Amino acid sequence: MHVGIIGVGLMGHGIARNVLSRGGFALSFLDHPGNQPTDEIRKLGATPCATPAEVAAVADVVILCVTGSSQVEAIVTGEAGLAGALRPGTIVVDCSTALPDSTLRMGEIVRQAGGDYLDAPMTRTAKHAHEGTLNLLVGGEAAVLDKVRPVLAAFTERVDHVGPLGHGHRLKLLHNYVSVGFMTLLAEAAAQAADAGVDPRVFVDVLAGGGGASAALDRLAPYITAGDRDALPFFVANAQKDIDYYRAMSQASGARTAVADGVSAALAAPVAAGHGEAYVPELVRLFRTGTET
């Protein structure tokens, strides 16, 4: 199979290099200013394309790894988009974090164009993308998933089929609400501890030995204790986007969003102050007393 990828960013770069080096597949990618440097994947044989349509014209599988629904919709339906150039039987694998209702619409458009669609968001970090050990939550038809498993195996450790189309993104939003919510709460607590002069290592040790032990603590501890933000290279603006997607999904179904509203407001302040491209661990600093947000 010839693989196409659109979105060679922090996550997509790792996916691309593993599709080439571990999977041995031919790869074409959208040449875009938002990409990470592509020298490595070009040396491995990746071919740049100028438009999504050019990617679709050569690919049996197209992986989308972009920010959210508006970007996915533009790629699928925009001028020189995927829908107008898909080959019969091409499978679009959407690894972004998107709104389930949008996913269903894009899936129908791709089906009408002769292709198939899977939503397959990721639940790990850029480090895991680089190592080829991502986890995917896949929504869509099981038979379609089976066709692309060899490609997915090149960059994943675990692939879970979680239900029909849209359920991958629904579960990803539930996952990120819990994950980002925990980290936002923890960052605020760590900021308060720092303002009070609590030793950061003692703070982390106390939480780790009790009810605060969690993946959130593991990811923020390097920043809390040593100022190392790179354990979680995830922009605050993207975290806020994911929470707001969760709120939109919940409001559409009539579910309560009281806690999610608070998390969104907490993240909105640093984004509005120009810190949207800070990594999530840096919320510890941004939430401190006297920090302009």
Side-chain angles (χ1 to χ4, degrees):
M1 287 184 284
H2 191 118
V3 179
I5 186 167
I6 298 175
V8 187
L10 285 172
M11 303 295 286
H13 186 272
I15 291 173
R17 67 184 295 274
N18 283 300
V19 165
L20 288 159
S21 61
R22 292 180 61 187
F25 296 99
L27 181 76
S28 297
F29 68 95
L30 179 66
D31 198 6
H32 188 275
N35 288 344
Q36 292 288 297
T38 57
D39 294 351
E40 180 186 15
I41 64 171
R42 287 173 187 256
K43 288 178 182 177
L44 290 169
T47 302
C49 297
T51 66
E54 287 187 22
V55 176
V58 297
D60 303 297
V61 178
V62 179
I63 298 169
L64 308 183
C65 193
V66 295
T67 301
S69 290
S70 60
Q71 291 80 12
V72 171
E73 291 174 7
I75 288 165
V76 173
T77 67
E79 184 178 355
L82 294 179
L86 285 174
R87 301 190 300 175
T90 297
I91 299 171
V92 177
V93 181
D94 182 4
C95 291
S96 65
T97 299
L99 290 162
D101 288 347
S102 173
T103 300
L104 293 175
R105 292 196 304 273
M106 294 305 101
E108 182 57 30
I109 289 168
V110 167
R111 280 194 292 271
Q112 290 177 3
D116 287 299
Y117 203 93
L118 298 171
D119 54 326
M122 304 162 282
T123 60
R124 282 184 160 180
T125 68
K127 175 178 180 290
H128 298 102
H130 181 79
E131 295 171 348
T133 57
L134 289 172
N135 291 339
L136 299 184
L137 305 171
V138 182
E141 295 182 12
V144 177
L145 172 57
D146 287 342
K147 291 178 183 178
V148 298
R149 281 189 184 276
V151 174
L152 304 184
F155 61 90
T156 61
E157 181 174 87
R158 177 172 172 174
V159 176
D160 290 321
H161 184 217
V162 296
L165 186 66
H167 279 217
H169 283 144
R170 188 172 297 277
L171 281 161
K172 176 63 185 293
L173 293 179
L174 287 160
H175 172 277
N176 277 23
Y177 169 49
V178 173
S179 176
V180 171
F182 280 175
M183 288 188 287
T184 304
L185 182 152
L186 175 57
E188 190 171 85
Q192 200 281 337
D195 287 341
V198 173
D199 185 314
R201 294 188 182 278
V202 173
F203 171 76
V204 168
D205 287 346
V206 167
L207 292 184
S214 62
L217 181 62
D218 293 342
R219 290 177 176 176
L220 265 62
Y223 188 85
I224 294 169
T225 59
D228 179 5
R229 70 175 195 159
D230 292 328
L232 186 64
F234 184 48
F235 292 148
V236 173
N238 286 344
Q240 184 197 8
K241 181 267 297 181
D242 288 358
I243 294 297
D244 287 346
Y245 276 7
Y246 170 83
R247 292 168 67 222
M249 178 180 75
S250 297
Q251 289 161 3
S253 64
R256 61 177 286 128
T257 60
V259 176
D261 293 344
V263 176
S264 176
L267 296 172
V271 172
H275 303 298
E277 293 194 359
Y279 288 170
V280 164
E282 294 178 277
L283 288 171
V284 176
R285 169 178 57 83
L286 295 172
F287 285 165
R288 291 197 63 179
T289 302
T291 300
E292 183 181 352
T293 53

